[in-house]
């Protein structure tokens, strides 16, 4: 595959959308073909699954939740992301496998290795070339989220859940330092954008 697969990860309110827009902006200006996408919900099937997993009233058993995210991912990778990578495009994606391991694994009761295994099966083992982790102390995420009026099902979870998610992300980054770029989400937007740009430029050069 000749394209480049870049994912953004981080807690709710860590600034992923802002950095995705900045990254996409300069890549496009530099003449690259860029596909911007996200999980859950990067396809029409995915939007239906996203609605279930984020807005359904009532309980979803943890394994069912993990499989819903994996189903969204399987369809999204097969029909959108792999074809774009095969065309040589740069894919900039909000959330991927690491979200599942951090949220369904570390954040809940499932084993992180098993959750990862399900996603690897779902995607025929597609890992990103680069994963940008916008690391945010959970209290800061809450502050930013407080400005929004309506929480979805996951955003309404207690702070200790978000603390476990953050710890899960940091453990993933420590295990694969070559794939991850970890940045303090409290840095100014321009500094974050510059750090991301420098790393992507070196990937493109290499
Ligand atoms: P979204 O509104 O896209 O959140 P954000 O703007 O923070 O990315 O909602 C996605 C939610 O789904 C988010 O709380 C994280 C969660 N999630 C999982 O729990 N597992 C997953 O595999 C993915 C992709 C997302």
């Amino acid at each position: 595959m000749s394209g480049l697969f870049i994912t953004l990860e981080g807690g709710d309110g860590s600034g992923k959308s802002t950095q995705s827009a900045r990254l996409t902006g300069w890549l496009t200006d530099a003449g690259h073909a860029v596909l911007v996408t996200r999980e859950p919900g990067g396809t029409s099937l995915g939007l239906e699954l996203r609605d279930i997993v984020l807005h359904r009233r009532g309980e979803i058993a943890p394994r069912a939740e993990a499989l819903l995210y994996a189903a969204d991912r399987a369809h999204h990778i097969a029909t959108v992301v792999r074809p774009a990578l095969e065309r040589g495009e740069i894919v900039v994606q909000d959330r991927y496998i690491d979200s599942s391991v951090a949220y369904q694994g570390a954040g809940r009761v499932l084993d992180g290795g098993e959750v990862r295994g399900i996603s690897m099966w779902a995607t025929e083992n597609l890992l990103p070339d680069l994963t940008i982790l916008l690391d945010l102390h959970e209290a800061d995420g809450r502050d930013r989220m407080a400005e929004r009026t309506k929480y979805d099902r996951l955003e309404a979870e207690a702070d200790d859940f978000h603390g476990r998610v953050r710890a899960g992300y940091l453990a993933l980054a420590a295990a694969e330092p070559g794939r991850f770029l970890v940045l303090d989400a409290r840095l100014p937007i321009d500094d974050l954008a510059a750090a991301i740009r420098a790393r992507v430029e070196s990937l493109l050069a290499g």
Side-chain angles (χ1 to χ4, degrees), residues 25-53:
W26 79 256
L27 283 170
T28 308
D29 289 348
H32 296 284
V34 185
L35 175 85
V36 186
T37 188
R38 68 164 179 182
E39 290 181 6
T43 61
S44 61
L45 171 65
L47 285 173
E48 292 181 46
L49 293 168
R50 178 185 169 89
D51 197 39
I52 295 172
V53 84

Side-chain angles (χ1 to χ4, degrees), residues 157-178:
E157 297 274 1
D159 273 355
D160 68 330
F161 172 76
H162 292 280
R164 290 200 303 279
V165 168
R166 180 186 182 218
Y169 269 137
L170 291 173
L172 284 167
E176 281 182 82

Side-chain angles (χ1 to χ4, degrees), residues 12 16 39 50 54 69 73 95 99-100 103-104 154:
D12 303 315
K16 295 190 303 302
E39 290 181 6
R50 178 185 169 89
L54 294 185
Y69 282 113
R73 182 160 301 136
R95 296 194 180 282
S99 279
S100 282
Y103 282 75
Q104 279 67 57
L154 285 174

